[in-house]
Amino acid sequence: MEPLTFFFHKLQMLFRRGRFTEEFAEEMAFHREQVERELREEGMSPDDAQYTALRRIGNETQLREQAHDLLRFRAEGIFHDLQYAFRQLRKNPAHTATVIMILALGIGATTAIFSAVNPILFQPLPYPLAGQIVMIWERHSDGSPWFVNFGTFHGIEERTGSFEAVAALKPWQPTMVGAARPERFEGQRVSAGYFRVLGASPVLGRDFVPADDLHNGPRVVVLSDEVWRRCFARDPSIIGQSMKLDGDLFTVIGVMPAGFENVLAPTAELWAPLQYDPALPTDSREWGHHLRMVGRLRPAITREQATAELDAILHTVGQLYAKGYNESGGTPAGTQLNSLHSEMTHDVRPALLAVLGAVGLVLLIACVNVTNLLLARSVQRHGEFAIRVALGASRIRLTRQLLTESLVLALIGGALGLIVARLGVHALLALVPPGLPRMNAIAVDGAVYTFALGMTAIVGIAVGLVPAVQSNNCHFNRALHQSARVIGGRHHALRRTLVVAEVALALVLLVSAGLLLRSLQRLFSVDPGFDASHLLTMQVQESGHYYDSDANRLLFFKNAREAVQAVPGVIAADFTGQLPLSGDYDVYGVQFESNPTGEEGGFRYAVTPDYIQTMRIPLRRGRLLGERDTIGAPTAVLISESLARRKFGDRDPTGTRVRLGPDVGHSDRPWATIVGVVGNVRQQSLALAPEDAFYVPITQWPWADEVLSLVVRTQGDAAALAPSIRDAIWSVDKDQPVVRVATMESLLAVSEAKRRFTLIVLEAFALVGLVLAATGIYGILSGSVAERTREIGIRSALGASQRAILGLVLRQGMMLAAIGIVIGLIGAALASRALVTLLFGISCVDPLTYLGVVTLLLAVAAIACWLPASRAARIDPAITLRAE
Amino acid sequence: MGNKRDLMPGTLDLLILTTLARAPLHGYGIALAIKRLSDEVLTVEEGSLYPALQRLLLRGWVKAEWKTSETKRRARYYTLTAAGRKQLGIELSQYEQLIAAIGRVLQNT
């Protein structure tokens, strides 16, 4: 019962505080009167009695405080600290605003980056037991992973016991014809187990069943929520209805939920069964290595166990279907299993970690800067602290007060930081490289709020601790007698250390940004192998059964090309099977007559004859393709310089013969003739060395592609011609989709988007770091100049020249910068190693970058030093000394 | 005032409770009573008396009410509560145990 009474009494007192003070005063007054009376009765004079009574009772305020302390709730102390903190912060609005702004930027930037990085790197994929999902690759004898073919997938699916489900998948881009414009969807062809592997199921209708995934089976489709909304207005009776895709009627059997995230193909909007032939006829698409494979491991089965089992299965299957494998590159050595999460994040991990590291440095610089500002402020407040200690405040109480103040600052900074973070996330989303996994999961959510709060607390304590400890080490008795500037000295040692730290951290950031900048410059000075200016590109696709015949396909592309060439402003237009730097990846085998047992691989460009001229790819030897290289004529091939050099050295390969793609290894197939050698073209990325390639007329390839890319060389602005070129194609057949319209220059830029993204973020952070470091130097120097006004006045009165005084202050500041730079160089050398995978063409200790950054930092430091130094030099000794 | 003795620690509460067990008193009265009853040996400082009274109030061992004093002034009178009376018993027996223990130690030297 007692604690309860205690609590109620306290509670009562909380609301009767005013009355308590009055009553206490009255009680004391009564007591004093009684004592006075007693003293007078003992024979003292009234005045003496009054005085003695006062002395006996002592400090009434302290007495009341003591009584108060007993009655007070612990939380009330915090409340008072808060009140006091707010009063302090209001007292010096400029200081408060600066600190809050720096903290808001630091916390905001860190939170924004965290919210982008968290779902990608740290959170599990959005599937139940996502850790069980793995990607399965064929492993070749040289250890490199390969896409699986249907033979491998089918063999594994029939035999494996390690997986709850496995699935094969490939991209599918069906076109829906009907409305004014044809709409091409991004979709996937998947085997029946796909959604079970992911652990997702339709919200409407049903999942695929094995009976859907039969060769020549029923045409069924599962829709994404987005397609259901966009094309069917969320019609609840959609199940069982049909939609016409590529000229065929597909029955809708299911709709995936809105929250379903398809990390394997984030843009996919519909899914249809794979429907490959389990009879596995040799020499068919079933044997092409073009499928991706995923599987969900059974609980308690490790990746190693599963790999061992799959390797054994592959061995059996390899023997069973030796012919099929031999005609498609041989039986793989085994399988390789990677967790789906690492597969998804592997590419972007270095860039994201670099950005995360950079923002960590920015936060660190911001904290150092704020600590410095708080330290400066606490030196000014020493008088106040001394008085509070003299009045009986304990040191713990003072520490608590200072920490409360810094926490309040951090909390306001953190709250504003969340606004900064929201803006930052918007900016990041506009910047992120395409292909960043889980982009739609990037949001300022609960995890982010928790992170921001945690960070705010840590920052609040971190920046408050140094000034608090520092104040406690101070001798307040002395402080009471002296002015702030005399005790400043010791604090300056600490503040100088902090400025050195800031410079060092800024240098690390600047070097990282500098290295990336130089890499990107190098990359963009790489010759892609063709002329990218005034070049418009787009993908043209044929859809519908009319185009089932090769002749009709070729005719359409021929007519479309002619129509585009007739558009005013078009210099030339040609089709190609794949477009450089667009993400296309189309590799086929090449068998040279000179070495019939060896097989090479090369990028296959099935092109209309003038493609090489239109792209302005240089001809090195022989002749280009021409109109005569067409159906009926012997197949003519151009090979890339790299392939020619590797196979023929300095000899001329023209006139020698090769078998290409499906003909490789088939002695009954005719040979094609190499008619020329052309320059290397960067197909995948500017950073990847030129890869082997061959060019063949579309009319001479064994089949006609249904998707080709159009490249258009224009006179003026390439982008401006896009609408008229599209209309020209639709004038031939209005139902054929035209997609992926982009200028070659933008494709070039996008192909390096990952580096560019990292660069922009790092540059921004480096700039912030530089500014903060400069203000740090400026702050400490102007502080020290203000405090040394008298000394400087005496110096100049004694004959020191303005130049000497300028030098004095400059030296002091530049010394700090120099020490910071030396430490920062060591840090940068270590940090830049983490950037290695993002660098191109330069070493991570690129001297030019380091030199440039050091120069920049010195220049900025010099400006930051110059302002206070010139103020010092202008000090008039007469005025200073008179002021004393 | 030369023969003033410091109180043994922990005994102030006991003295106040004992004093109040006789009759309700105001703060000055309590101090006076302790001084007189101890033949001016024990002096209660105002600095300890009033915080102690607050403590006892908080624990619910005494209660306070404003009454008119013998000098026709409004004064705050403290009265022992039932809980306070119980507490006085506890403190007394604790005190006696303590004294007895000290006595045994002293006799053995």
Side-chain angles (χ1 to χ4, degrees):
Chain A
M1 167 208 155
E2 201 183 79
L4 209 65
T5 345
F6 208 71
F7 177 79
F8 275 118
H9 271 108
K10 278 190 171 190
L11 202 65
Q12 241 181 347
M13 287 315 300
L14 186 64
F15 297 108
R16 297 175 42 198
R17 188 60 49 79
R19 224 176 110 191
F20 170 82
T21 311
E22 272 170 36
E23 289 187 343
F24 195 86
E26 191 175 347
E27 195 171 9
M28 285 298 112
F30 173 78
H31 191 103
R32 211 166 46 236
E33 277 171 30
Q34 298 299 320
V35 175
E36 269 181 59
R37 206 165 55 109
E38 181 189 317
L39 290 170
R40 276 202 309 275
E41 279 167 4
E42 283 172 13
M44 224 179 244
S45 75
D47 280 359
D48 282 353
Q50 194 181 1
Y51 180 68
T52 315
L54 270 177
R55 282 199 48 169
R56 232 175 80 180
I57 295 175
N59 188 341
E60 201 179 306
T61 315
Q62 205 176 343
L63 219 58
R64 193 176 61 226
E65 286 294 317
Q66 266 178 28
H68 239 156
D69 271 345
L70 260 176
L71 299 173
R72 174 160 44 207
F73 283 103
R74 193 174 290 268
E76 269 184 85
I78 295 168
F79 180 71
H80 280 286
D81 281 350
L82 279 175
Q83 261 185 332
Y84 191 77
F86 276 112
R87 213 179 303 144
Q88 274 301 325
L89 300 181
R90 266 208 308 272
K91 223 153 102 186
N92 203 335
H95 173 265
T96 306
T98 315
V99 167
I100 286 176
M101 207 184 64
I102 294 171
L103 286 176
L105 279 178
I107 295 174
T110 315
T111 307
I113 295 297
F114 175 80
S115 60
V117 168
N118 180 42
I120 301 170
L121 288 192
F122 304 131
Q123 274 177 6
L125 292 172
Y127 305 120
L129 296 172
Q132 302 290 105
I133 308 175
V134 295
M135 286 204 81
I136 301 161
W137 304 91
E138 287 181 10
R139 182 164 45 80
H140 276 221
S141 42
D142 63 351
S144 61
W146 261 62
F147 287 97
V148 303
N149 57 32
F150 188 68
T152 299
F153 166 70
H154 187 66
I156 291 175
E157 191 189 30
E158 275 195 322
R159 293 170 177 80
T160 182
S162 304
F163 291 90
E164 282 178 0
V166 289
L169 49 138
K170 67 166 187 178
W172 177 46
Q173 293 170 324
T175 304
M176 184 168 71
V177 180
R181 291 206 165 156
E183 179 164 8
R184 188 177 82 163
F185 294 105
E186 290 291 331
Q188 282 178 294
R189 285 278 188 174
V190 296
S191 64
Y194 182 65
F195 292 120
R196 267 182 293 129
V197 169
L198 296 183
S201 47
V203 69
L204 213 63
R206 63 171 177 89
D207 190 358
F208 293 123
V209 293
D212 293 319
D213 189 16
L214 298 175
H215 190 47
N216 298 321
R219 293 199 174 89
V220 292
V221 65
V222 170
L223 307 180
S224 72
D225 178 77
E226 167 65 16
V227 169
W228 184 39
R229 186 188 59 75
R230 196 174 70 222
C231 305
F232 301 99
R234 290 190 189 279
D235 177 0
S237 62
I238 183 71
I239 304 301
Q241 290 187 28
S242 45
M243 63 191 293
K244 199 167 192 178
L245 296 169
D246 287 340
D248 287 318
L249 282 175
F250 279 73
T251 309
V252 176
I253 60 163
V255 175
M256 293 307 286
F260 172 60
E261 237 185 279
N262 189 34
V263 298
L264 281 153
T267 51
E269 296 181 316
L270 23 92
W271 296 269
L274 197 59
Q275 300 185 336
Y276 275 14
D277 187 356
L280 297 169
T282 49
D283 205 9
S284 67
R285 63 176 181 176
E286 275 72 20
W287 288 103
H289 294 271
H290 64 286
L291 297 172
R292 286 198 289 169
M293 187 171 165
V294 288
R296 176 178 281 272
L297 286 169
R298 283 190 194 286
I301 300 273
T302 66
R303 268 210 324 261
E304 289 70 28
Q305 289 168 330
T307 311
E309 193 215 23
L310 295 195
D311 284 357
I313 290 174
L314 212 54
H315 188 71
T316 318
V317 175
Q319 285 174 336
L320 263 173
Y321 297 98
K323 191 163 157 33
Y325 278 108
N326 283 340
E327 287 179 6
S328 62
T331 313
T335 53
Q336 182 176 327
L337 272 59
N338 301 330
S339 86
L340 184 59
H341 188 260
S342 75
E343 287 267 351
M344 291 296 109
T345 56
H346 177 260
D347 269 1
V348 289
R349 181 175 280 269
L352 292 182
L353 287 180
V355 167
L356 198 62
V359 86
L361 287 181
V362 170
L363 183 66
L364 217 53
I365 297 178
C367 285
V368 171
N369 212 298
V370 167
T371 306
N372 223 335
L373 286 171
L374 293 184
L375 212 50
R377 183 94 185 90
S378 82
V379 172
Q380 289 167 12
R381 284 171 62 186
H382 261 181
E384 169 206 330
F385 297 153
I387 290 171
R388 292 193 69 189
V389 168
L391 285 179
S394 68
R395 301 216 152 178
I396 289 181
R397 189 69 222 198
L398 268 193
T399 308
R400 211 174 82 182
Q401 178 64 45
L402 281 171
L403 282 181
T404 308
E405 284 180 35
S406 67
L407 273 172
V408 165
L409 282 169
L411 277 174
I412 300 173
L416 289 176
L418 278 178
I419 300 173
V420 174
R422 278 185 177 281
L423 297 175
V425 167
H426 275 289
L428 279 175
L429 284 177
L431 268 177
V432 285
L436 189 74
R438 306 211 56 208
M439 240 181 75
N440 39 4
I442 296 175
V444 181
D445 57 10
V448 172
Y449 284 125
T450 316
F451 174 83
L453 188 68
M455 209 167 49
T456 301
I458 292 171
V459 166
I461 292 170
V463 299
L465 216 50
V466 176
V469 169
Q470 190 67 17
S471 306
N472 271 350
N473 289 340
C474 181
H475 298 281
F476 287 111
N477 275 339
R478 247 197 285 156
L480 265 183
H481 297 292
Q482 293 168 340
S483 60
R485 69 158 182 258
V486 185
I487 41 165
R490 277 224 340 255
H491 290 252
H492 274 295
L494 186 60
R495 292 191 58 198
R496 282 195 199 102
T497 316
L498 291 176
V499 167
V500 166
E502 265 184 292
V503 172
L505 291 171
L507 185 98
V508 174
L509 272 178
L510 284 169
V511 164
S512 307
L515 287 173
L516 273 175
L517 180 69
R518 295 250 301 140
S519 294
L520 220 58
Q521 276 174 347
R522 288 261 166 135
L523 266 175
F524 284 123
S525 63
V526 163
D527 176 15
F530 56 89
D531 179 4
S533 63
H534 302 294
L535 206 54
L536 186 71
T537 74
M538 60 192 72
Q539 217 175 47
V540 183
Q541 184 172 2
E542 292 165 332
S543 126
H545 288 301
Y546 171 74
Y547 294 106
D548 284 348
S549 95
D550 279 4
N552 288 348
R553 286 188 183 175
L554 293 175
L555 183 67
F556 167 72
F557 285 125
K558 180 170 175 286
N559 292 339
R561 178 171 171 244
E562 278 163 12
V564 170
Q565 276 174 332
V567 171
V570 170
I571 298 172
D574 276 280
F575 281 106
T576 174
Q578 63 183 328
L579 193 64
L581 303 174
S582 65
D584 288 347
Y585 186 94
D586 193 15
V587 175
Y588 280 87
V590 185
Q591 178 192 19
F592 288 85
E593 194 180 16
S594 52
N595 176 21
T597 51
E599 186 187 341
E600 302 287 337
F603 287 108
R604 175 204 68 138
Y605 296 88
V607 297
T608 48
D610 294 337
Y611 173 76
I612 304 289
Q613 291 104 302
T614 303
M615 290 290 279
R616 298 189 179 145
I617 300 168
L619 178 70
R620 303 293 190 207
R621 282 178 197 268
R623 67 167 176 90
L624 292 172
L625 302 174
E627 294 297 336
R628 64 188 149 127
D629 302 313
T630 182
I631 303 164
T635 305
V637 186
L638 298 172
I639 60 172
S640 69
E641 221 175 343
S642 64
L643 192 56
R645 185 158 300 279
R646 218 151 46 72
K647 295 304 287 187
F648 297 95
D650 290 332
R651 282 175 294 123
D652 185 357
T654 57
T656 61
R657 301 195 297 174
V658 289
R659 281 203 184 97
L660 301 173
D663 295 344
V664 168
H666 291 268
S667 50
D668 55 327
R669 304 290 300 170
W671 292 95
T673 308
I674 297 173
V675 298
V677 178
V678 294
N680 294 324
V681 166
R682 306 253 162 161
Q683 171 62 31
Q684 287 175 278
S685 117
L686 289 173
L688 289 177
E691 280 166 286
D692 302 340
F694 62 89
Y695 299 81
V696 63
I698 50 170
T699 49
Q700 292 190 322
W701 188 252
W703 63 80
D705 293 39
E706 55 182 354
V707 184
L708 292 180
S709 285
L710 180 67
V711 292
V712 186
R713 177 77 58 189
T714 62
Q715 269 160 356
D717 178 16
L721 278 180
S724 38
I725 290 171
R726 216 164 13 194
D727 287 343
I729 294 167
W730 283 333
S731 73
V732 179
D733 183 340
K734 70 162 184 61
D735 286 339
Q736 302 316 307
V738 176
V739 293
R740 231 171 64 174
V741 182
T743 64
M744 198 70 218
E745 275 160 346
S746 70
L747 283 182
L748 265 172
V750 167
S751 74
E752 294 310 326
K754 212 156 49 199
R755 283 191 178 83
R756 180 187 287 263
F757 165 73
T758 321
L759 174 69
I760 292 174
V761 175
L762 247 60
E763 268 180 342
F765 289 169
L767 191 70
V768 172
L770 185 63
V771 170
L772 287 181
T775 51
I777 296 177
Y778 172 80
I780 190 151
L781 278 194
S782 39
S784 110
V785 165
E787 283 159 21
R788 288 168 70 189
T789 307
R790 182 161 162 259
E791 174 207 329
I792 293 168
I794 293 172
R795 276 173 193 264
S796 61
L798 291 177
S801 68
Q802 281 207 353
R803 178 185 289 270
I805 288 168
L806 203 64
L808 182 79
V809 180
L810 270 180
R811 236 189 342 269
Q812 191 194 348
M814 294 311 279
M815 193 62 182
L816 296 181
I819 298 172
I821 284 171
V822 170
I823 298 172
L825 281 176
I826 300 167
L830 294 175
S832 57
R833 278 195 210 156
L835 283 176
V836 154
T837 52
L838 293 170
L839 300 185
F840 175 80
I842 54 166
S843 111
C844 63
V845 287
D846 178 51
L848 202 64
T849 308
Y850 280 77
L851 206 66
V853 165
V854 168
T855 315
L856 174 69
L857 207 50
L858 281 175
V860 171
I863 298 170
C865 294
W866 182 263
L867 299 171
S870 63
R871 204 179 306 143
R874 282 197 309 270
I875 287 174
D876 184 342
I879 294 175
T880 327
L881 297 179
R882 210 178 302 140
E884 280 296 311
Chain B
M1 290 234 257
N3 55 353
K4 186 167 94 184
R5 290 279 156 80
D6 282 340
L7 283 176
M8 238 161 79
T11 49
L12 179 58
D13 286 4
L14 177 62
L15 290 180
I16 295 173
L17 292 174
T18 316
T19 314
L20 289 180
R22 286 166 227 272
L25 277 172
H26 44 67
Y28 176 75
I30 295 170
L32 205 64
I34 292 176
K35 199 167 146 189
R36 292 220 175 113
L37 288 169
S38 68
D39 292 332
E40 312 234 338
V41 173
L42 298 174
T43 311
V44 184
E45 299 264 351
E46 287 79 359
S48 353
L49 175 65
Y50 286 94
L53 281 171
Q54 290 301 334
R55 204 162 49 236
L56 297 180
L57 268 174
L58 262 184
R59 306 236 180 256
W61 293 336
V62 300
K63 58 183 190 207
E65 51 203 332
W66 290 93
K67 284 186 191 162
T68 313
S69 77
E70 59 273 29
T71 56
K72 306 286 178 235
R73 274 282 271 114
R74 221 164 82 94
R76 204 173 192 207
Y77 278 79
Y78 295 88
T79 317
L80 204 61
T81 62
R85 206 167 289 281
K86 211 169 108 193
Q87 181 64 22
L88 175 60
I90 297 169
E91 298 229 347
L92 261 179
S93 71
Q94 276 174 357
Y95 175 77
E96 275 156 13
Q97 279 170 12
L98 181 70
I99 290 298
I102 291 174
R104 280 196 299 277
V105 173
L106 293 179
Q107 274 170 1
N108 283 342
T109 47

